[in-house]
Amino acid sequence: MNEPIDDIALLAELQSGNAKSAYEQIFKKYYKLLYVKAYYMLGDEMEAEDLVQGLLGKIWENQLYHSVNTSLKAYLYKAVNNKCLDLIEKKKNEQKQLNEYRITLNHAPVLEEAYMVPDNGMSWQDMKQDFDAALSELPPQRMEAFNLVFLQEKKYREAAEKMGISINSVKTHLRIAVRTLRQRLLHLK
């Protein structure tokens, strides 16, 4: 019967070159703990799973285990905590930008009349028209993903269920949609 190897032995095994076996044992030993921590912080099963798998993959690919100078459990736990905080901050910033955009769209005529025309010389109405035109040029699924998540404020899971695709597919559609819209609307800066 195989007994679990303690963390010091696992780290030594990783650093000495027998990394695959040790890494598999680390994955088995800590995945659930790290997943629960990520889920507790993020509140989303798929995001927690993606985050932990991504972190463990990054540690493996970049051989970050060479820089572990505390307990392995503490290192992994802190790494997941930091990744979750980064993701929460990123989502908060994205939401803030989206809210600012919505406020601008909702109050554009009032702002235009009361204050000024945008720096690029276009009216708010023209800018909104350009945005709507750029949005309508997206492929249907991409446009639907953008609409559900950014304009209707649905969670990734809700959008995925409504569209009948995976959460990762929704995220991919959103990433490409945002990149496309940025490129298409560069003239609005």
Side-chain angles (χ1 to χ4, degrees):
M1 181 170 151
N2 285 341
E3 291 185 29
I5 300 174
D6 72 343
D7 289 355
I8 296 170
L10 283 173
L11 274 174
E13 215 175 307
L14 278 172
Q15 295 166 350
S16 71
N18 190 11
K20 187 173 182 184
S21 170
Y23 186 77
E24 288 173 0
Q25 289 186 34
I26 290 169
F27 192 89
K28 288 176 185 174
K29 185 174 181 179
Y30 288 113
Y31 180 81
K32 285 182 184 176
L33 172 74
L34 299 175
Y35 168 79
V36 169
K37 171 66 174 169
Y39 178 71
Y40 176 75
M41 290 183 73
L42 301 174
D44 184 287
E45 292 175 20
M46 291 301 291
E47 279 186 343
E49 192 174 302
D50 288 348
L51 186 134
V52 173
Q53 288 178 357
L55 174 71
L56 290 172
K58 185 177 179 183
I59 289 170
W60 171 255
E61 288 170 16
N62 298 336
Q63 298 182 359
L64 298 177
Y65 44 81
H66 289 293
S67 63
V68 176
N69 54 15
T70 62
S71 81
L72 183 58
K73 180 179 180 180
Y75 175 85
L76 293 171
Y77 203 73
K78 184 71 172 173
V80 164
N81 187 68
N82 290 342
K83 286 284 187 190
C84 287
L85 291 174
D86 289 346
L87 184 58
I88 290 167
E89 185 66 26
K90 179 182 175 191
K91 286 167 64 174
K92 192 164 65 171
N93 287 335
E94 287 173 352
Q95 189 61 46
K96 181 180 173 189
Q97 289 174 341
L98 184 60
N99 289 340
E100 288 171 2
Y101 170 74
R102 280 196 191 104
I103 289 169
T104 301
L105 282 183
N106 291 336
H107 301 302
V110 174
L111 290 174
E112 182 177 7
E113 292 170 15
Y115 297 102
M116 63 181 175
V117 175
D119 289 343
N120 61 9
M122 295 178 72
S123 70
W124 290 108
Q125 200 72 8
D126 290 340
M127 289 173 64
K128 184 179 181 326
Q129 207 169 14
D130 280 3
F131 177 80
D132 290 341
L135 191 58
S136 70
E137 290 174 11
L138 293 174
Q141 272 198 312
R142 213 158 280 153
M143 183 172 31
E144 184 178 6
F146 186 89
N147 183 38
L148 289 170
V149 173
F150 290 122
L151 303 178
Q152 294 181 27
E153 299 184 26
K154 303 278 187 203
K155 293 187 179 226
Y156 292 136
R157 179 181 314 199
E158 293 172 310
E161 288 172 3
K162 182 163 177 124
M163 294 174 69
I165 60 176
S166 73
I167 292 174
N168 286 335
S169 294
V170 169
K171 290 178 182 179
T172 300
H173 280 302
L174 290 173
R175 189 171 42 253
I176 295 169
V178 168
R179 186 180 331 125
T180 302
L181 290 171
R182 262 193 205 124
Q183 290 169 349
R184 172 78 166 70
L185 300 171
L186 277 174
H187 69 282
L188 297 179
K189 283 190 169 184

